[in-house]
Amino acid sequence: MIKSLSQLGRGAPRTGPLPVGRAVTVWALDTTLDVVGGYRVPDAAAVLDAVEAERAAKLLRESDRHRYLTSHLGLRALLGGYLGLAPEAVGLTREDCPCCGGPHGRPAVVGGGVHFSLSHSGDLAYLAFAAVPVGVDVEAVPAATAAADVLTSLHADESAELLALPDAVRPHALARVWSRKEACLKATGTGIALGLAEPYVGSAPEPAAVPGWTLTDLPAPEGYAAALAVRDA
């Protein structure tokens, strides 16, 4: 698997050609920007679709709404670049859920053409694009109290590994585990419908093997952890 990490900023992105094979391109985005991919955040309504606009409107905190709009403007700018379309012309849908068959599985482009995944946490977003199913996740390192609250939700071996660590490093290790697990769940489209115990991804510096997927950690700024899951051939 080949992957590259690029920075999306204010100007229109130069995406280059669509990824092929199992190549993956990952973009990082500062979600505090007021212009992203060449589009102003206050003018987002002209670019996003009705579903995105409705979700943004439901966010009560201005900061959360701004992060959502910024990351989705970035997503559309990049998809438009890869597909040769205006960002507002990109049709988005949801695949069927692999658990229940409902229309709330992985987000997808209408008509296909590229697989993508979006994650945002704090003031940072990661966006991944590939020719095969892919999942990306970025997580801000949680507070120690938050780390304690979620330990019982993980795989028993992951919980044991984390509890064996010194208190000072446990939150960073948890962010690593959480980003790996979320990347896998986004890639498969199951989300948290079946809980957070599976798949086992481990807390060690290298992720555990996940059958059918290649799971890798991504570079991330201080205070964050990020991971990428790509379906095997």
Side-chain angles (χ1 to χ4, degrees):
M1 177 186 64
I2 302 172
K3 59 178 180 292
S4 61
L5 183 62
S6 304
Q7 188 74 33
L8 177 60
R10 297 174 183 273
R14 297 182 179 181
T15 59
L18 284 168
V20 296
R22 296 182 65 250
V24 183
T25 300
V26 180
W27 296 75
L29 169 64
D30 177 356
T31 58
T32 67
L33 294 175
D34 55 359
V35 177
V36 59
Y39 295 87
R40 297 178 65 249
V41 175
D43 300 331
V47 181
L48 306 185
D49 63 22
V51 173
E52 291 168 307
E54 181 180 0
R55 287 177 179 166
K58 290 180 178 179
L59 297 172
L60 300 180
R61 296 172 55 187
E62 172 60 29
S63 58
D64 292 339
R65 188 160 55 250
H66 186 93
R67 293 183 184 107
Y68 179 93
L69 293 173
T70 302
S71 59
H72 281 257
L73 281 174
L75 172 65
R76 284 185 166 273
L78 290 165
L79 284 173
Y82 285 121
L83 298 172
L85 296 171
E88 62 271 21
V90 176
L92 298 179
T93 186
R94 286 274 183 173
E95 296 178 350
D96 291 341
C97 172
C99 299
C100 69
H104 47 256
R106 294 188 314 138
V109 174
V110 174
V114 63
H115 294 270
F116 69 90
S117 181
L118 164 65
S119 174
H120 55 84
S121 181
D123 293 333
L124 184 64
Y126 273 34
L127 307 97
F129 301 86
V132 295
V134 61
V136 72
D137 192 67
V138 59
E139 296 290 337
V141 174
T145 53
D149 290 341
V150 301
L151 283 176
T152 57
S153 301
L154 303 175
H155 190 283
D157 289 346
E158 291 164 348
S159 297
E161 293 166 7
L162 292 167
L163 286 170
L165 295 174
D167 293 346
V169 300
R170 188 177 300 130
H172 292 79
L174 175 61
R176 190 162 60 225
V177 171
W178 200 269
S179 65
R180 294 169 180 174
K181 199 170 292 276
E182 283 279 8
C184 292
L185 297 177
K186 289 179 179 180
T188 61
T190 59
I192 61 172
L194 301 179
L196 294 169
E198 298 293 341
Y200 170 75
V201 297
S203 63
E206 292 295 327
V210 177
W213 299 86
T214 298
L215 178 61
T216 58
D217 291 338
L218 293 174
E222 183 69 26
Y224 289 88
L228 178 74
V230 184
R231 191 174 70 183
D232 293 339

